[in-house]
Amino acid sequence: MKLLIRLVLLLSSGLIFLALAVVIQNVDPHQEIPTTETYTFADTLAYDQYDLDSLIAMIGDNKGLPPGFEVAAAIAYTAYPQLKDVNIDMVFTQGGAPMMASLDIWSLFGSRNGRRYKILLNDSKDTYFDPILLRNLPFDAQVGILAHELGHVAYYHQLNLLEFGKWGFSYLQSDEYHAAHERSTDLMPVYHGLGSQIYQYAYYVRHDPKGGELYKGAKEFIDKYYMTDKELWNVIKSE
Ligand SMILES: [Zn+2]
């Protein structure tokens, strides 16, 4: 019995220590401006021809491409040369947020090279999110929003286990932190040469007759957590 009590005490003090270690981390919700060289892409990508094999050769064979959207995804990956050696998959789901960057939590315990990230793409039918799901976006907007999601991956990849814990806690617990992180992640495509594409996404979501359907009822939420087309335009213009 005594041994059991000791074991419980040891485990709970270990957990308290871990929780404290997470709490004392200082994790800025803002994205960093990349210091490495980035590409510049054309303002409109939709009408060009792309050779998927050449794109895959650029991004590495550790990247998953969602069926039917291979080219848009591969272009978004090429914008992040710093993720060339990182394992990232893009998979369809039948629920959840329209898109979400996640990681295999267990891979956080191993070396950074072994981390596995996944971008979840809601592809369910008859959902409230229908107007803004990947399948309904114009090509350039697809590239733009996938580049936003890869911006999350670039951010996660810089965090260690404790920092990731603090980030997750802050993101869920504070609206301001959540908004600062998402709005800053909207700038990642801009930093990586795909400013026109994230602008086209933001414009589509707000002003397209079909895409804007959801926005009508969710304007306050969307404009709080994501940059508007006008805000993005001002940033792109001042670059
Ligand atoms: Zn996001």
Side-chain angles (χ1 to χ4, degrees):
M1 199 59 191
K2 257 193 183 158
L3 186 70
L4 187 68
I5 293 172
R6 253 196 220 167
L7 200 65
V8 169
L9 279 175
L10 192 71
L11 273 176
S12 46
S13 56
L15 283 176
I16 290 169
F17 179 77
L18 188 68
L20 277 175
V22 166
V23 168
I24 59 166
Q25 302 299 316
N26 186 10
V27 184
D28 188 339
H30 297 95
Q31 297 273 4
E32 280 172 22
I33 297 175
T35 47
T36 50
E37 190 86 12
T38 54
Y39 300 115
T40 317
F41 296 84
D43 286 348
T44 304
L45 301 170
Y47 308 115
D48 280 335
Q49 293 293 317
Y50 298 93
D51 177 31
L52 187 57
D53 288 338
S54 325
L55 290 172
I56 292 173
M58 284 172 80
I59 63 181
D61 53 10
N62 49 8
K63 304 291 186 299
L65 299 168
F69 303 88
E70 291 89 346
V71 173
I75 295 173
Y77 280 128
T78 61
Y80 290 87
Q82 76 269 42
L83 297 178
K84 185 159 195 213
D85 297 327
V86 182
N87 300 304
I88 311 170
D89 202 357
M90 293 188 183
V91 293
F92 288 121
T93 62
Q94 292 305 311
M99 285 185 196
M100 196 178 113
S102 71
L103 88 171
D104 176 346
I105 294 292
W106 294 111
S107 74
L108 264 179
F109 292 89
S111 76
R112 203 158 297 213
N113 295 341
R115 288 216 190 148
R116 288 182 303 276
Y117 299 94
K118 226 180 231 181
I119 296 182
L120 307 176
L121 307 163
N122 184 342
D123 191 41
S124 57
K125 306 282 176 270
D126 303 319
T127 158
Y128 164 75
F129 294 122
D130 191 74
I132 61 166
L133 296 187
L134 191 65
R135 62 171 186 254
N136 288 323
L137 305 178
F139 183 81
D140 281 80
Q142 290 173 1
V143 175
I145 191 61
L146 291 174
H148 166 108
E149 295 304 325
L150 290 172
H152 285 301
V153 173
Y155 177 90
Y156 299 161
H157 202 59
Q158 292 179 348
L159 304 181
N160 64 32
L161 174 67
L162 298 178
E163 289 166 338
F164 189 76
K166 178 66 182 279
W167 173 83
F169 178 76
S170 311
Y171 185 90
L172 293 174
Q173 192 248 342
S174 157
D175 270 358
E176 282 66 39
Y177 194 96
H178 179 171
H181 180 67
E182 287 300 342
R183 294 176 72 81
S184 174
T185 302
D186 268 340
L187 294 175
M188 285 295 264
V190 180
Y191 299 153
H192 287 81
L194 291 168
S196 169
Q197 282 64 36
I198 193 66
Y199 168 82
Q200 290 182 60
Y201 172 80
Y203 187 91
Y204 172 85
V205 166
R206 289 166 179 81
H207 307 295
D208 184 85
K210 183 174 193 295
E213 273 303 303
L214 181 136
Y215 180 70
K216 284 181 199 158
K219 185 178 182 323
E220 231 169 86
F221 177 90
I222 295 177
D223 289 350
K224 175 176 178 181
Y225 292 105
Y226 300 94
M227 293 191 71
T228 65
D229 48 307
K230 288 189 189 71
E231 287 170 322
L232 282 166
W233 180 252
N234 286 334
V235 175
I236 294 164
K237 232 177 26 186
S238 66
E239 282 263 297

